[in-house]
Amino acid sequence: MPDEDDGSGRLIDAPHPGPIAAAAQAYRMRWKRRRLLWRSFRSRHALRAVTPHPVQPQGAILAFACVRNEALRLPYWLAHNRRLGVDRFLVVDNGSDDGTRDLLADQPDVSLWSTDAGYKASRFGMDWLNHLLTRFGAEHWCLTVDADELLVYPHSERLGLAALAAELERRRQPALGTLMVELYPKGPLAGASYLPGQDPTEALPFFDAEGYRIHRQRPARNLWVQGGPRERVFFADRPALSPTLNKLPFLRWRRGQTYLISTHSALPPRLNLAWDGPGDPRLSGALLHTKFLPDAVPNARIEKSRRQHFHDPDKFAGYYDRVMDNPEFWHPGATRYEGWAQLERLGLLSRGGWIG
C-alpha cells in the first residue's frame, strides 16, 4: 500500500510491516550499520593529521565538518559556532586550494586533517567524519555541519549548545532534528555582495516559508523533507530529485552509531525518530543554508567538472548549468529572515515548551 497525503503536504506512512518482514528489515539495517562502520574505520588511512588533537574533557561540545574551498564562509562559520559554545572543531580538508587549509591550521581550537582522496568515493565525506566521530566524539554531544550551514534553535541567541544538550538529555531525545532553511538574495545570485566574516543573512535575507513535503522511509525510518527554493527553481518538473532538507546535526555520539546519508539520517534507526519534520511539537532547530553566496555561480562550473557531488552526475548536469545561468530565487512569496522565533511562528521549528 503506498503512502498517502493527508492534504497538508505531510505523507502518512503505510502500515507497519508484519513481524517477519520487520525482523528482516532490522537484520538488514544491523548489517548495513556494521558495513558502514567498517568503511569508516578503513577510511582512516586516507586522512593525514595537519594539527594535533588534544584530549577533550568530559562534556566538551565538539563540531565536525568536511570542507573544500570554503575560505569565504569559514570566518563567520567559526565565529557563529564559537558563540554557540563549540569547544573544539574537528575538520577534514579535502584538497582545498583557496587558503582554507592554512586558515584552519592557524585556529587554536581546530584539529585539522587533510586528504586528497575522492569525495564521492568516501560517501561524500561521511566515511571520514564517521571515523572521527567514533574515535573522538564518543560520549560527547557532537555538531556535524557543513561550512554553508548555520545552526539556530530556540533561545540560541543566549543559550549555548551545552544548555541545549542538557535539555535534550532531560527529554531523553537523542538528537536535534532540523530543517535546512535555504537562504537567497533579491536579484541574481552573483549580484549579492559578501565579505568574509560578514553575517550571511545580510547578503541572503530571504527564504521560502512554505511548500515543504514530509515523508518517512523504510527500512531505516528516516525522514525525507523536500521543497524550498531549489526545488522551485531547478526541479519543478521533477520534484522527486530535489534536495533532502531534513538533518540530524546535533546528537550525543555513541560507539556503534553512524550517519547513513550525510546527516540526513543515521543508524540505528531509532535516531531517525527524534523528529517528524516541520510541525512536530518536539524541540527542534534549523540550519540556515548559505550555499548561494556570490561564489555559487563560479563554483558550479568547477563542481560540474569534478563530478563528485551526486551518485549519478550526468542526471544532475542540468542543475549546475542552471546555477551557472545566474538565476534569481526571489519571488513575491519570499519571506525575509528574522530569527528562530519567526521560524517557530511559521511552524518550521519548535521550542517544544522549552522555557530556557
Side-chain angles (χ1 to χ4, degrees):
M1 176 179 175
D3 294 346
E4 298 177 353
D5 194 328
D6 69 358
S8 67
R10 181 180 296 273
L11 292 174
I12 304 171
D13 286 338
H16 289 287
I20 295 177
Q25 289 180 356
Y27 178 79
R28 290 199 300 272
M29 287 296 96
R30 284 196 297 271
W31 273 103
K32 187 173 187 67
R33 178 158 54 108
R34 291 172 184 172
R35 288 195 299 271
L36 292 178
L37 289 169
W38 176 242
R39 280 184 61 113
S40 67
F41 180 70
R42 287 188 305 169
S43 77
R44 72 192 190 281
H45 298 297
L47 301 178
R48 300 183 301 275
V50 178
T51 62
H53 178 69
V55 175
Q56 296 301 297
Q58 184 177 2
I61 302 293
L62 306 180
F64 295 76
C66 179
V67 302
R68 175 183 167 82
N69 288 348
E70 294 288 5
L72 182 67
R73 291 170 180 78
L74 281 171
Y76 188 86
W77 182 85
L78 289 165
H80 175 82
N81 289 312
R82 286 169 180 148
R83 283 194 296 271
L84 293 182
V86 169
D87 295 299
R88 191 81 189 173
F89 298 86
L90 293 84
V91 184
V92 176
D93 177 70
N94 185 205
S96 293
D97 56 13
D98 71 338
T100 288
R101 177 173 161 169
D102 291 340
L103 186 159
L104 290 169
D106 287 341
Q107 307 300 314
D109 56 356
V110 172
S111 297
L112 181 63
W113 287 262
S114 177
T115 182
D116 293 319
Y119 183 69
K120 182 179 177 183
S122 71
R123 293 196 315 116
F124 310 103
M126 293 317 299
D127 287 341
W128 305 324
L129 293 183
N130 277 329
H131 169 63
L132 296 181
L133 281 158
T134 297
R135 182 178 177 188
F136 300 111
E139 303 310 320
H140 290 274
W141 278 87
C142 298
L143 176 67
T144 304
V145 286
D146 295 337
D148 61 7
E149 296 171 344
L150 301 172
L151 177 65
V152 296
Y153 53 86
H155 315 298
S156 55
E157 76 285 359
R158 59 186 180 83
L159 293 180
L161 290 169
L164 176 63
E167 181 63 17
L168 292 170
E169 292 269 17
R170 188 185 70 81
R171 295 167 182 245
R172 297 185 179 180
Q173 189 172 326
L176 182 77
T178 61
L179 175 71
M180 289 180 63
V181 176
E182 302 195 285
L183 303 177
Y184 50 86
K186 185 172 185 179
L189 294 183
S193 176
Y194 181 77
L195 296 174
Q198 181 183 358
D199 183 343
T201 65
E202 297 174 1
L204 307 174
F206 295 99
F207 70 99
D208 284 12
E210 55 187 22
Y212 298 100
R213 302 184 312 285
I214 306 167
H215 177 70
R216 192 172 289 281
Q217 298 179 303
R218 290 191 171 89
R221 306 295 291 150
N222 55 298
L223 203 63
W224 192 19
V225 179
Q226 293 176 291
R230 278 190 288 175
E231 177 174 296
R232 177 167 50 78
V233 175
F234 300 136
F235 298 99
D237 58 339
R238 13 173 223 166
L241 294 180
S242 69
T244 307
L245 300 179
N246 56 283
K247 289 198 168 187
L248 296 170
F250 188 57
L251 43 69
R252 185 177 180 86
W253 198 263
R254 301 186 187 279
R255 294 189 184 278
Q257 293 179 178
T258 180
Y259 276 120
L260 178 59
I261 303 172
S262 180
T263 59
H264 301 302
S265 57
L267 294 175
R270 61 178 175 78
L271 295 171
N272 298 319
L273 302 177
W275 188 54
D276 285 335
D280 187 336
R282 288 176 292 180
L283 178 60
S284 60
L287 290 175
L288 305 181
H289 195 205
T290 68
K291 182 180 184 67
F292 293 109
L293 289 175
D295 65 340
V297 174
N299 283 349
R301 183 174 294 103
I302 297 170
E303 296 306 327
K304 181 180 179 180
S305 65
R306 291 183 69 234
R307 299 172 61 85
Q308 291 290 302
H309 277 271
F310 295 104
H311 289 289
D312 184 355
D314 293 330
K315 186 181 293 186
F316 291 90
Y319 166 78
Y320 288 121
D321 292 337
R322 293 288 304 281
V323 176
M324 285 187 280
D325 286 340
N326 193 22
E328 181 170 354
F329 283 113
W330 191 89
H331 67 125
T335 301
R336 182 179 289 273
Y337 177 71
E338 297 173 1
W340 69 263
Q342 173 201 35
L343 299 181
E344 183 180 41
R345 292 194 299 272
L346 294 169
L348 302 181
L349 61 76
S350 173
R351 78 181 78 188
W354 185 29
I355 302 300

